[in-house]
Amino acid sequence: MSSTDAPRLRRTPLDALHRSLGATMTDFAGWEMPLRYGSEREEHLAVRTRAGLFDLSHMGEITVTGPQAVALLNYALVGNIATVGPGRARYTMICRADGGILDDLIVYRTGEHEYLVVANASNAQAVLDALTERAAGFDAEVRDDRDAYALLAVQGPEALAVLKPLTDADLDGLKYYAALSGTVAGVPALIARTGYTGEDGFELFVAPGDAERLWQALTEAGTPAGLVPCGLSCRDTLRLEAGMPLYGNELSTALTPFDAGFGRVVKFDKEGDFVGREALLAAAERVAAEPSRVLVGLVAQGRRVPRAGYSVVADGKVIGEVTSGAPSPTLGKPIAMAYVDAAYAAPGTTGVAVDIRGSHEPYEVVALPFYKRQK
């Protein structure tokens, strides 16, 4: 395929604005996205101490409506969506029949018989296809709404203070993993108290044509509080510190939720069958009896940074593999998540190292997450 035949990268409604701010752009899941605007370390620390503003318009929104919308979602997903109240949200997963993870998702209940499913950009089409296929026989409609939304996020300890003057919505009463409809700076929005940084914050689903106006209003309101624009690079280090999995790194079709350490999202006690149930029952029993590898945190004793795919070693043998690694601006040390043999998974285990280009660099095994915000 020649360069002229290569598929064009998609651009968010804020693309021109990102470029005007001097953002370094990168290809992410078929989208041209801002990687950083200046120093990724400064962007990271702004979110931890003040506030950051993100463009997440690459995420995949899928609406499920109809009298049997909840029955469809309970069949298609591993969680119990029937217990999600109006205006609430739930983290869950969609699996293949063999139990392999297709994607991790957030499902918002936006009406009596209406749900908004938010998928990762890289998996949005696969999730849409799976939900559409699984909808057969249900009185429910699956609608591709990826072009209907832009998504902005304000994250950090000052997020509430930044957003509050711009809306008459009851943000103080909005719980974590809940959402409500309102206006922000005059723009109609679904306001969700969710995020992927380990901090308090809000995600704002708006019409694409309103995205730039909202970004500018948030920037103006947030500048006195120290809000800065943030790219994908610091989003990755923030979620890593918070121990949040990234699809393609910690999660994949080769793993079930139980193998990945997220068996808690699978609800066998919900009413009716669901895709992958038998395979997941077997996986739950297998992992409970003898887990093969366990997802752990690793903190460097030196300065060298591990990357995804690097081997974890101990006692002269390979005992695991790094899934994500980066310098931690909060801890001031390199950190990583890795799947390691269960015998080496206990926090405090000594003698563990990461093979970084032939050098075995010592690491301490720690419990996840690396960072937890003060409530």
Side-chain angles (χ1 to χ4, degrees):
M1 180 185 289
S2 70
S3 58
T4 56
D5 295 329
R8 283 192 60 180
L9 295 178
R10 298 186 67 182
R11 294 181 171 184
T12 80
L14 294 166
D15 182 80
L17 188 148
H18 297 317
R19 295 173 193 276
S20 74
L21 294 173
T24 299
M25 306 298 287
T26 189
D27 175 0
F28 183 81
W31 290 79
E32 206 158 1
M33 296 294 295
L35 186 64
R36 68 180 74 82
Y37 298 84
S39 161
E40 54 200 52
R41 181 178 184 277
E42 289 177 10
E43 291 172 23
H44 178 112
L45 293 175
V47 176
R48 285 280 179 257
T49 60
R50 304 186 304 276
L53 178 58
F54 296 83
D55 177 12
L56 307 179
S57 301
H58 61 308
M59 300 295 282
E61 294 88 3
I62 302 162
T63 300
V64 180
T65 59
Q68 291 189 302
V70 69
L72 163 59
L73 290 171
N74 257 8
Y75 170 71
L77 311 179
V78 301
N80 189 355
I81 309 306
T83 59
V84 179
R88 298 310 300 264
R90 179 152 301 161
Y91 175 78
T92 187
M93 294 181 180
I94 182 169
C95 291
R96 303 191 309 190
D98 65 2
I101 303 167
L102 274 174
D103 201 14
D104 60 335
L105 314 163
I106 296 181
V107 179
Y108 299 89
R109 185 175 176 185
T110 53
E112 184 179 0
H113 300 297
E114 183 167 324
Y115 297 81
L116 180 65
V117 178
V118 181
N120 287 295
S122 57
N123 296 328
Q125 188 62 49
V127 173
L128 176 66
D129 291 345
L131 287 175
T132 302
E133 180 182 335
R134 294 172 191 186
F138 289 93
D139 186 5
E141 177 192 355
V142 176
R143 187 172 71 234
D144 181 2
D145 272 348
R146 285 176 287 180
D147 292 335
Y149 291 102
L151 178 57
L152 279 64
V154 184
Q155 298 280 298
E158 296 297 321
L160 178 61
V162 169
L163 198 57
K164 208 170 178 180
L166 298 177
T167 181
D168 56 3
D170 179 17
L171 299 185
D172 289 318
L174 188 63
K175 297 179 179 179
Y176 186 52
Y177 264 67
L180 52 74
S181 294
T183 59
V184 181
V187 170
L190 177 66
I191 306 166
R193 202 162 198 165
T194 47
Y196 193 51
T197 63
E199 297 297 336
D200 188 20
F202 301 87
E203 296 184 316
L204 309 172
F205 297 83
V206 300
D210 291 331
E212 188 165 340
R213 173 182 168 190
L214 181 56
W215 180 284
Q216 299 288 19
L218 290 166
T219 298
E220 185 176 335
T223 297
L227 174 142
V228 301
C230 294
L232 291 180
S233 186
C234 85
R235 180 171 154 89
D236 191 49
T237 53
L238 289 160
R239 71 90 194 166
L240 176 55
E241 287 184 349
M244 296 178 171
L246 176 65
Y247 195 91
N249 291 45
E250 287 72 42
L251 308 175
S252 72
T253 53
L255 297 170
T256 73
F258 294 96
D259 294 298
F262 291 89
R264 62 185 178 274
V265 306
V266 181
K267 304 301 180 186
F268 293 117
D269 59 350
K270 65 178 175 178
E271 186 177 343
D273 194 15
F274 62 93
V275 176
R277 181 187 181 94
E278 292 305 314
L280 289 169
L281 276 170
E285 293 171 0
R286 170 175 51 77
V287 170
E290 189 175 353
S292 53
R293 286 187 169 177
V294 178
L295 187 65
V296 301
L298 299 175
V299 176
Q301 296 178 26
R303 308 303 304 173
R304 298 190 70 185
V305 179
R307 299 297 181 190
Y310 285 12
S311 294
V312 182
V313 296
D315 299 328
K317 62 182 180 182
V318 174
I319 60 153
E321 185 175 295
V322 171
T323 54
S324 296
S328 166
T330 305
L331 276 63
K333 301 176 181 179
I335 60 173
M337 286 198 282
Y339 284 106
V340 302
D341 294 348
Y344 299 88
T349 299
T350 59
V352 172
V354 176
D355 186 341
I356 301 180
R357 297 191 180 93
S359 175
H360 289 188
E361 301 292 328
Y363 272 74
E364 178 188 358
V365 178
V366 300
L368 292 170
F370 300 97
Y371 166 86
K372 188 176 289 187
R373 72 181 173 94
Q374 300 299 310
K375 299 292 184 182

Coordinates of all heavy atoms in Angstrom, one line a residue, residues 26-58:
T26 N -0.2 12.8 17.5 CA 0.2 11.4 17.3 C -1.0 10.5 16.8 O -2.1 10.9 17.0 CB 0.8 10.8 18.6 OG1 1.4 9.5 18.3 CG2 -0.3 10.6 19.6
D27 N -0.7 9.4 16.1 CA -1.7 8.5 15.7 C -2.0 7.6 16.9 O -1.2 6.9 17.4 CB -1.1 7.6 14.5 CG -2.0 6.5 14.1 OD1 -3.1 6.4 14.7 OD2 -1.6 5.8 13.2
F28 N -3.3 7.6 17.3 CA -3.8 6.8 18.3 C -5.1 6.1 17.9 O -6.1 6.8 17.8 CB -4.0 7.5 19.7 CG -4.4 6.7 20.8 CD1 -3.5 5.9 21.5 CD2 -5.7 6.6 21.2 CE1 -3.9 5.1 22.6 CE2 -6.1 5.8 22.2 CZ -5.2 5.0 22.9
A29 N -5.1 4.8 17.7 CA -6.3 4.1 17.3 C -7.0 4.7 16.1 O -8.2 4.7 16.1 CB -7.2 4.0 18.5
G30 N -6.2 5.1 15.2 CA -6.8 5.7 13.9 C -7.2 7.1 14.0 O -7.8 7.7 13.1
W31 N -6.9 7.8 15.2 CA -7.2 9.2 15.4 C -5.9 10.0 15.5 O -4.9 9.5 16.1 CB -8.0 9.4 16.7 CG -9.4 8.8 16.6 CD1 -9.8 7.6 16.7 CD2 -10.6 9.6 16.4 NE1 -11.2 7.5 16.6 CE2 -11.7 8.7 16.4 CE3 -10.8 11.0 16.2 CZ2 -13.0 9.1 16.3 CZ3 -12.2 11.4 16.1 CH2 -13.2 10.5 16.1
E32 N -5.9 11.2 15.0 CA -4.8 12.1 15.3 C -5.1 12.9 16.6 O -6.1 13.7 16.6 CB -4.7 13.1 14.1 CG -3.3 13.6 13.9 CD -3.0 14.1 12.5 OE1 -3.9 14.1 11.7 OE2 -1.8 14.5 12.3
M33 N -4.3 12.6 17.6 CA -4.6 13.1 18.9 C -3.4 13.8 19.5 O -2.3 13.6 19.2 CB -5.0 11.9 19.9 CG -6.2 11.1 19.4 SD -7.7 12.1 19.6 CE -7.8 12.4 21.4
P34 N -3.7 14.8 20.4 CA -2.6 15.5 21.1 C -1.9 14.6 22.1 O -2.5 14.0 23.0 CB -3.3 16.6 21.8 CG -4.7 16.2 22.0 CD -5.0 15.3 20.9
L35 N -0.6 14.4 21.9 CA 0.2 13.6 22.8 C 0.6 14.5 24.0 O 0.6 14.0 25.2 CB 1.5 13.1 22.1 CG 2.4 12.2 22.8 CD1 1.7 10.9 23.1 CD2 3.6 11.9 22.0
R36 N 1.0 15.7 23.7 CA 1.4 16.6 24.8 C 1.4 18.0 24.2 O 1.5 18.2 23.0 CB 2.8 16.3 25.4 CG 3.9 16.6 24.4 CD 5.3 16.3 25.0 NE 5.5 14.8 25.1 CZ 5.9 14.1 24.1 NH1 6.1 14.6 22.9 NH2 6.1 12.8 24.2
Y37 N 1.3 19.0 25.1 CA 1.3 20.4 24.7 C 2.6 21.1 25.0 O 3.0 22.0 24.4 CB 0.1 21.2 25.3 CG -1.2 20.7 24.9 CD1 -1.8 19.6 25.6 CD2 -1.9 21.2 23.8 CE1 -3.0 19.1 25.2 CE2 -3.2 20.7 23.5 CZ -3.7 19.7 24.2 OH -4.9 19.1 23.8
G38 N 3.3 20.6 26.0 CA 4.6 21.1 26.4 C 5.3 20.0 27.2 O 5.7 18.9 26.6
S39 N 5.4 20.1 28.5 CA 6.0 19.1 29.3 C 5.0 18.1 29.8 O 4.0 18.5 30.5 CB 6.7 19.7 30.5 OG 7.0 18.8 31.5
E40 N 5.1 16.8 29.5 CA 4.1 15.8 30.0 C 4.2 15.7 31.5 O 3.2 15.4 32.1 CB 4.3 14.5 29.3 CG 5.7 13.9 29.3 CD 5.9 12.9 28.3 OE1 5.7 13.1 27.1 OE2 6.4 11.8 28.6
R41 N 5.4 15.9 32.1 CA 5.5 15.8 33.5 C 4.7 17.0 34.2 O 4.0 16.7 35.2 CB 7.0 15.9 33.9 CG 7.2 15.9 35.5 CD 8.7 15.9 35.8 NE 8.8 15.8 37.3 CZ 8.7 16.8 38.1 NH1 8.5 18.0 37.7 NH2 8.9 16.5 39.4
E42 N 4.8 18.2 33.6 CA 4.0 19.3 34.2 C 2.5 19.1 34.0 O 1.7 19.4 34.9 CB 4.5 20.6 33.5 CG 5.9 21.0 33.9 CD 6.4 22.3 33.2 OE1 5.5 22.9 32.6 OE2 7.6 22.6 33.4
E43 N 2.1 18.5 32.9 CA 0.7 18.2 32.6 C 0.2 17.2 33.7 O -0.9 17.4 34.3 CB 0.5 17.7 31.2 CG 0.7 18.8 30.2 CD 0.6 18.3 28.7 OE1 0.0 17.2 28.5 OE2 1.2 18.9 27.8
H44 N 1.0 16.2 33.9 CA 0.7 15.1 34.9 C 0.5 15.8 36.3 O -0.5 15.5 37.0 CB 1.8 14.1 34.9 CG 1.6 13.0 35.9 ND1 1.4 11.7 35.5 CD2 1.6 13.0 37.3 CE1 1.2 10.9 36.6 NE2 1.4 11.7 37.7
L45 N 1.5 16.5 36.7 CA 1.4 17.1 38.0 C 0.3 18.2 38.2 O -0.2 18.3 39.3 CB 2.8 17.8 38.4 CG 3.9 16.7 38.5 CD1 5.3 17.5 38.7 CD2 3.7 15.8 39.7
A46 N -0.1 18.8 37.1 CA -1.2 19.7 37.1 C -2.5 19.0 37.5 O -3.3 19.5 38.3 CB -1.4 20.5 35.8
V47 N -2.7 17.8 36.9 CA -3.9 17.0 37.2 C -3.8 16.5 38.6 O -4.9 16.5 39.3 CB -4.0 15.8 36.2 CG1 -5.2 14.9 36.6 CG2 -4.1 16.3 34.8
R48 N -2.6 16.1 39.1 CA -2.5 15.7 40.5 C -2.7 16.8 41.5 O -3.2 16.5 42.6 CB -1.2 15.0 40.7 CG -1.0 13.6 40.1 CD -1.6 12.5 41.0 NE -1.5 11.2 40.3 CZ -2.5 10.6 39.7 NH1 -3.7 11.2 39.6 NH2 -2.3 9.4 39.2
T49 N -2.4 18.0 41.2 CA -2.4 19.1 42.2 C -3.4 20.2 41.9 O -3.9 20.9 42.8 CB -1.0 19.7 42.3 OG1 -0.7 20.3 41.0 CG2 0.0 18.7 42.8
R50 N -3.8 20.3 40.6 CA -4.8 21.4 40.2 C -5.9 20.8 39.3 O -6.8 20.3 39.8 CB -4.0 22.5 39.6 CG -2.8 23.1 40.4 CD -2.2 24.3 39.8 NE -1.7 24.1 38.5 CZ -0.5 23.6 38.2 NH1 0.3 23.1 39.1 NH2 -0.1 23.5 36.9
A51 N -5.7 21.0 38.0 CA -6.7 20.5 37.1 C -6.1 20.4 35.7 O -5.3 21.2 35.3 CB -7.9 21.4 37.1
G52 N -6.6 19.4 34.9 CA -6.2 19.3 33.5 C -7.4 19.1 32.7 O -8.5 18.7 33.1
L53 N -7.3 19.6 31.4 CA -8.4 19.5 30.4 C -8.0 18.6 29.3 O -7.0 18.8 28.6 CB -8.7 21.0 29.9 CG -9.8 21.1 28.9 CD1 -11.1 20.6 29.3 CD2 -9.9 22.6 28.5
F54 N -8.8 17.6 29.0 CA -8.5 16.6 28.0 C -9.6 16.6 26.9 O -10.7 16.8 27.2 CB -8.5 15.2 28.6 CG -7.5 14.9 29.7 CD1 -7.7 15.4 31.0 CD2 -6.3 14.3 29.4 CE1 -6.7 15.1 32.0 CE2 -5.3 14.0 30.3 CZ -5.5 14.4 31.6
D55 N -9.1 16.3 25.7 CA -10.0 16.0 24.6 C -10.0 14.5 24.4 O -9.0 13.8 24.1 CB -9.5 16.6 23.3 CG -10.4 16.3 22.1 OD1 -11.5 15.7 22.2 OD2 -9.9 16.6 20.9
L56 N -11.2 13.9 24.7 CA -11.4 12.4 24.6 C -12.4 12.0 23.5 O -13.0 11.0 23.6 CB -11.8 11.8 26.0 CG -11.0 12.2 27.2 CD1 -11.6 11.6 28.4 CD2 -9.5 11.8 27.0
S57 N -12.5 12.9 22.5 CA -13.5 12.7 21.5 C -13.3 11.5 20.6 O -14.1 11.1 19.8 CB -13.6 13.9 20.6 OG -13.9 15.1 21.4
H58 N -12.2 10.8 20.8 CA -11.9 9.5 20.1 C -12.6 8.3 20.7 O -12.7 7.3 20.0 CB -10.4 9.2 20.0 CG -9.8 9.0 21.4 ND1 -9.9 9.9 22.4 CD2 -9.0 8.1 21.9 CE1 -9.3 9.5 23.5 NE2 -8.7 8.4 23.2

